[in-house]
Amino acid sequence: MALPGGFWVPPRPDYFTLCPLCPGAQDVRVQVLPEVRGQLGGTVELPCHLLPPLPGLFISLVTWERSDVPVEQQNVAAFHPKLGASFPSPEPGSERLSFVSAKQSTGQDTEAELQDATLALQGLTVEDEGNYTCEFATFPKGPVRGLTSLRVIGEQGTGRRQ
């Protein structure tokens, strides 16, 4: 609100509680599990959800990365609403990875479909164990991310790596 003379007066402190859909009224967050365990040789899903769904929040890209591997393997997966899925890292690679729910645009609004970026890994190996970051590139909020650890369990129910 501007007063005569061009001075700006900030809104009352309860402004955002009275206007929940106004920009900045709610923070978005990425919901992931802190740890996911998968059986050696099996399939596991790494859940990743952007919450809460907000009108006017646009998702331009979703990425999965690993920080505990060499640079050329850090970008594990990406999903673009119009271009679809990409799996740039040779390991685990496109033959073992898929997005569970994300759908490529068919010319209609896909905002709700991109809020679930759950990633499935098939044929788990010991090398798949590590820390995975799911990141949503959003507008106008900017990037938001969540970290989950994947633990690969051997036949006796104990991890093969520590």
Side-chain angles (χ1 to χ4, degrees):
M1 170 187 299
L3 294 176
F7 293 103
W8 183 79
V9 176
R12 293 187 329 240
D14 63 346
Y15 173 76
F16 289 122
T17 59
L18 297 174
C19 185
L21 298 179
C22 293
Q26 294 178 326
D27 284 330
V28 293
R29 62 184 172 82
V30 175
Q31 181 182 45
V32 296
L33 295 174
E35 183 176 278
V36 174
R37 292 176 181 257
Q39 189 71 31
L40 187 64
T43 299
V44 69
E45 290 184 1
L46 303 177
C48 179
H49 302 274
L50 184 67
L51 298 174
L54 295 176
L57 181 70
F58 299 98
I59 302 167
S60 58
L61 187 68
V62 179
T63 58
W64 278 94
E65 298 177 342
R66 282 188 67 183
S67 58
D68 55 351
V69 294
V71 173
E72 64 274 4
Q73 295 177 355
Q74 287 183 353
N75 292 321
V76 175
F79 194 92
H80 185 275
K82 292 187 174 141
L83 302 175
S86 170
F87 305 99
S89 176
E91 283 299 323
S94 60
E95 65 281 350
R96 296 179 46 225
L97 293 170
S98 63
F99 282 93
V100 174
S101 297
K103 303 275 190 282
Q104 190 170 343
S105 174
T106 57
Q108 299 168 2
D109 186 19
T110 59
E111 185 176 350
E113 296 176 51
L114 267 184
Q115 291 185 324
D116 181 352
T118 299
L119 187 68
L121 283 89
Q122 301 175 21
L124 281 177
T125 67
V126 174
E127 290 77 21
D128 294 328
E129 186 169 286
N131 297 320
Y132 290 78
T133 301
C134 174
E135 179 175 296
F136 288 86
T138 71
F139 183 85
K141 296 288 187 179
V144 286
R145 61 187 63 85
L147 176 70
T148 191
S149 295
L150 173 61
R151 300 293 169 240
V152 178
I153 306 300
E155 294 180 68
Q156 289 79 27
T158 59
R160 293 273 176 112
R161 286 178 55 189
Q162 297 297 329

